[in-house]
Amino acid sequence: MKLVVAPGPGSERERLLRRPPLPAGTKPDFIIGHGRITGHAALSLVADHFPNSQRIHFLHAAPGRIEWFTEQDVSKDAAETADAREQFELELAGAAQLLVAVGPRLQREYERLLHPRSRKVHAFVPGLSAVEPLDGPPRDVQILLPGRAEDATLKGLDIATRAVALASKSTQFVNEKLILLVRGAPARTGEQLRKDLYGASGSTAFDLRVKPYSANAEHILSDMQQSSLVLMPSRSEGFGLVGLEAISAGVPVLLSNRSGLAELINSLAPQDASHHVVQMHEEGDGMARKWAGEIVFILRDRSASFPRVRRCGVTCKTRFPGASRSRACSMN
């Protein structure tokens, strides 16, 4: 396999629209676009350069679900942004030969949106990566909160920091200080984010550490393997790949039930769902207290929590053998 770099000069968007430098006579059978990020480029490449190629369009996000929780430009309206992005996504999907949504939650969303066009949407389930789980938890108790912090409300950073502050008051941790590692600060915002999160938590009883956002898989895996728990309290999440990576690494994880991964666990390993999926039915301190209780339960007996998440991973692989990182999985 050879990676072909989009020809320059120009912006990334401009370069993606140009004909790639393929060997003479090479005509791609398929051109794949991912959402509104590269979907437009795939559409243009087929129309302008490879009219006989089939176009596959991947659906990664549901604007109608998430725009209400993202940081908005004060000159823009969330409803208008959601509608514009949704319509753009549907335009890209309309003429594609194959539509693939990441996980069952997004599959249902787009099957509804595309129902008037009688379009079939397949679900792609990312597999568990081939990571050898560690023997057990580290000595110090660290909790990892990953995700782009510019979408703080969407990712539930306020819920997580308040919950960790409440959990820190448990007699279970009277002789140790919980560490909360937030991985996802935009460039040059880490110091301010730490101040804001401490302020929102109402406590300094825990050790809050902030790291910049990284797409480096080794950095994320290292963060996970240093941790005793991974939190994903998203108010809406199309899938939740980082949670799947935590399960692959054998690290306990708590997921919002408003994520595609939570739905998958409920389907494949229902007996394990109660240990990993948190119901999101309210806001404010009630929600934070619920998450705090789940955090304390996981950390109270880490020697039991780590084998439990490994069993969940094994169950998912057993009940859906296609769910391995070596091949794609389609759920009809």
Side-chain angles (χ1 to χ4, degrees):
M1 180 180 293
K2 180 181 179 181
L3 180 65
V4 178
V5 179
S11 67
E12 182 180 85
R13 182 183 179 90
E14 292 170 335
R15 290 188 292 115
L16 285 172
L17 297 176
R18 297 192 182 103
R19 183 187 177 99
L22 301 177
T26 300
K27 296 180 180 180
D29 294 318
F30 304 100
I31 296 179
I32 302 173
H34 291 265
R36 60 186 180 84
I37 306 302
T38 60
H40 69 285
L43 180 65
S44 294
L45 287 175
V46 171
D48 299 338
H49 303 294
F50 305 107
N52 295 321
S53 297
Q54 304 289 298
R55 184 165 63 89
I56 301 174
H57 187 66
F58 271 78
L59 299 152
H60 289 268
R65 289 182 183 270
I66 67 175
E67 290 301 326
W68 316 102
F69 305 114
T70 59
E71 294 295 325
Q72 294 286 331
D73 185 321
V74 293
S75 65
K76 297 180 179 179
D77 176 73
E80 294 173 359
T81 300
D83 185 58
R85 290 183 173 179
E86 188 174 274
Q87 291 304 317
F88 183 46
E89 195 76 72
L90 295 179
E91 288 176 16
L92 292 171
Q97 279 70 45
L98 181 65
L99 299 176
V100 186
V102 181
R105 186 176 175 87
L106 288 174
Q107 180 190 32
R108 291 199 315 276
E109 176 84 4
Y110 281 99
E111 282 190 336
R112 174 180 58 79
L113 292 170
L114 291 163
H115 183 69
R117 307 186 192 188
S118 300
R119 293 305 310 273
K120 174 69 177 178
V121 181
H122 297 269
F124 175 84
V125 180
L128 285 91
S129 56
V131 177
E132 186 65 29
L134 300 178
D135 292 336
R139 183 172 180 178
D140 284 345
V141 183
Q142 175 174 287
I143 300 168
L144 174 63
L145 178 60
R148 294 180 181 274
E150 64 261 37
D151 295 329
T153 303
L154 176 64
K155 297 299 183 182
L157 267 65
D158 56 322
I159 297 171
T161 50
R162 182 63 179 146
V164 172
L166 292 171
S168 298
K169 298 178 181 179
S170 170
T171 56
Q172 178 73 23
F173 309 113
V174 66
N175 294 320
E176 58 185 321
K177 200 169 188 179
L178 294 180
I179 301 169
L180 175 60
L181 172 59
V182 177
R183 164 69 85 172
R188 298 178 296 279
T189 67
E191 185 176 354
Q192 186 60 50
L193 178 63
R194 184 173 183 269
K195 292 178 181 177
D196 292 344
L197 292 178
Y198 258 143
S201 73
S203 171
T204 57
F206 61 101
D207 185 356
L208 177 58
R209 305 181 187 184
V210 175
K211 290 187 178 182
Y213 172 79
S214 174
N216 187 306
E218 292 184 1
H219 291 171
I220 303 302
L221 177 60
S222 178
D223 289 342
M224 287 180 178
Q225 292 179 329
Q226 298 167 16
S227 302
S228 296
L229 175 62
V230 175
L231 295 182
M232 289 188 61
S234 302
R235 288 179 167 88
S236 183
E237 189 79 53
F239 186 72
L241 184 59
V242 72
L244 192 63
E245 297 292 354
I247 293 173
S248 297
V251 179
V253 60
L254 286 174
L255 307 161
S256 158
N257 71 307
R258 297 175 184 171
S259 67
L261 178 56
E263 291 191 15
L264 194 65
I265 292 174
N266 276 315
S267 173
L268 299 180
Q271 71 280 7
D272 297 314
S274 64
H275 298 299
H276 304 293
V277 179
V278 182
Q279 302 299 312
M280 305 275 284
H281 291 319
E282 55 185 316
E283 287 286 348
D285 277 350
M287 180 59 69
R289 285 195 296 271
K290 179 183 292 186
W291 278 83
E294 298 292 345
I295 290 170
V296 172
F297 177 81
I298 293 287
L299 299 181
R300 181 184 293 124
D301 189 357
R302 292 185 292 160
S303 62
S305 298
F306 273 71
R308 193 159 51 228
V309 74
R310 287 197 292 270
R311 286 196 300 271
C312 179
V314 170
T315 300
C316 289
K317 285 184 178 180
T318 302
R319 295 189 177 179
F320 189 23
S324 62
R325 191 52 55 87
S326 60
R327 57 177 173 165
C329 312
S330 177
M331 295 173 62
N332 294 323

